[in-house]
Amino acid sequence: MPLVEMCGYPCSGKTRRTHELKSYFESNTDRKVHIVGDGAIDVEKNAVYADSQREKNLRGALKSEVERKLSKDDVIILDSLNYIKGYRYELYCLIKHTQTPHCLVYCLTSAEMSSTWNIDRDAAEQYTQEILDALVLRFEAPDSRNRWDSPLFTIQKDDTLPYEAISDAIFKRKAPPPNQSTLSQPLSSTNFLYELDKITQDVLMAILNAQKTSVPGDLIAVPGTSEKIQLTRSFNMAELRKLRRQFISYTKMHPTENIGQISNMFVQYLNKSLH
């Protein structure tokens, strides 16, 4: 089932574009269209996006729902912020594993425009200004040079969706080919498991050593990546080891593109998990 990921600030027109795409596909193809998103799960968004753990749980629930619906026949449109590049990469690994095409539709607006559209909503549907500002600040814009953000369609408020180009991207383009990151063989290989174990252990040791001379607020450099750990407080070995075990288990099920990505993904995982 081809996957269309929507992306953009809160109140940037993602849901409107989602329904425009749904109508187009249903009118011009024999495909069924399934919308997966915050609205379908019926979450209280201000409460969820104010709590990092609840937000993380929401992303997990959306990803699980996408994975459950993936097949070769119909279309899934993921109508959510999808504003974290690490999360978009996880979705890319998922479509590689299931061998289906995907594309990203980026609803580009200014923060001021999103704020104005937010105010125009019914009170029950509005983000608080504090939450909206925080989400805009954390937003990681897609980049078509990244495999997981390509093909990328950037849409501004007055644009007409490029329906045929989007249709071609998900129906006529081949799925990303399976490789060592998506086949089961590398996961059982001694070398892959050794590198996964060694790299994650090196990251933990770098954090523990850096804490001896760092204070909350510092950014900790770790080996093998330009990503840095955000030191919000002192982290103890027990919680770091627990997160390492969780990451290793996750990586075995959703492998990275290559071994060189492990450090990046692990640091991103730690930054999302350590508060």
Side-chain angles (χ1 to χ4, degrees):
M1 181 183 294
L3 173 64
V4 178
E5 296 171 41
M6 309 303 293
C7 180
Y9 288 165
C11 307
S12 58
K14 296 183 300 299
T15 297
R16 174 171 66 91
R17 299 300 194 174
T18 293
H19 287 284
E20 289 175 357
L21 275 175
K22 183 176 187 292
S23 296
Y24 174 81
F25 289 140
E26 290 180 338
S27 298
N28 293 275
T29 74
D30 58 357
R31 309 277 186 139
K32 292 182 180 178
V33 180
H34 303 270
I35 296 175
V36 175
D38 300 8
I41 294 181
D42 192 27
V43 298
E44 207 297 289
K45 55 194 172 190
N46 285 303
V48 167
Y49 289 112
D51 184 325
S52 59
Q53 185 58 50
R54 291 183 65 180
E55 182 184 346
K56 180 181 176 182
N57 292 341
L58 171 62
R59 289 197 299 271
L62 292 173
K63 181 181 172 185
S64 295
E65 184 65 9
V66 168
E67 187 170 15
R68 188 179 70 83
K69 291 182 179 297
L70 278 175
S71 74
K72 63 181 181 179
D73 298 319
D74 304 329
V75 179
I76 297 176
I77 304 177
L78 179 55
D79 178 21
S80 189
L81 297 174
N82 298 319
Y83 71 101
I84 298 173
K85 63 182 178 181
Y87 183 62
R88 296 196 299 268
Y89 181 83
E90 292 176 17
L91 293 167
Y92 176 73
C93 290
L94 181 62
I95 65 105
K96 280 178 70 71
H97 184 70
T98 53
Q99 284 294 277
T100 187
H102 90 304
C103 72
L104 194 72
V105 177
Y106 176 26
C107 297
L108 177 61
T109 60
S110 65
E112 293 76 14
M113 179 60 69
S114 290
S115 182
T116 298
W117 285 353
N118 182 54
I119 292 170
D120 289 341
R121 288 184 169 188
D122 293 338
E125 295 296 319
Q126 289 182 14
Y127 291 86
T128 66
Q129 191 62 45
E130 181 182 9
I131 293 296
L132 190 147
D133 290 343
L135 289 169
V136 167
L137 187 64
R138 298 202 299 267
F139 186 84
E140 297 176 331
D143 184 340
S144 61
R145 292 173 295 182
N146 298 327
R147 292 181 302 278
W148 53 91
D149 289 336
S150 178
L152 174 64
F153 300 93
T154 300
I155 311 298
Q156 300 192 50
K157 68 182 184 70
D158 294 325
D159 291 344
T160 299
L161 281 171
Y163 295 109
E164 290 189 11
I166 293 173
S167 183
D168 287 348
I170 61 173
F171 296 137
K172 295 183 179 180
R173 193 172 60 91
K174 291 183 178 180
N179 56 25
Q180 290 188 342
S181 71
T182 54
L183 297 175
S184 59
Q185 182 179 356
L187 297 184
S188 61
S189 73
T190 302
N191 184 60
F192 181 90
L193 296 177
Y194 170 80
E195 292 294 338
L196 178 61
D197 182 80
K198 181 179 183 300
I199 291 170
T200 53
Q201 184 63 36
D202 287 347
V203 171
L204 292 199
M205 293 310 299
I207 295 170
L208 292 171
N209 289 333
Q211 283 190 151
K212 298 174 183 178
T213 56
S214 302
V215 297
D218 287 351
L219 294 175
I220 297 176
V222 296
T225 176
S226 59
E227 300 275 352
K228 299 182 185 298
I229 292 289
Q230 300 168 5
L231 187 63
T232 56
R233 56 177 173 80
S234 178
F235 307 134
N236 62 57
M237 177 60 88
E239 65 179 328
L240 290 174
R241 283 177 173 168
K242 179 182 178 182
L243 290 171
R244 176 173 174 263
R245 289 194 300 270
Q246 292 173 350
F247 176 80
I248 288 174
S249 296
Y250 170 84
T251 304
K252 289 178 181 178
M253 296 180 63
H254 303 85
T256 58
E257 175 66 17
N258 54 55
I259 288 175
Q261 286 284 344
I262 293 175
S263 291
N264 289 342
M265 297 300 293
F266 188 37
V267 170
Q268 291 171 8
Y269 182 80
L270 290 174
N271 279 331
K272 288 187 288 184
S273 304
L274 290 167
H275 306 288

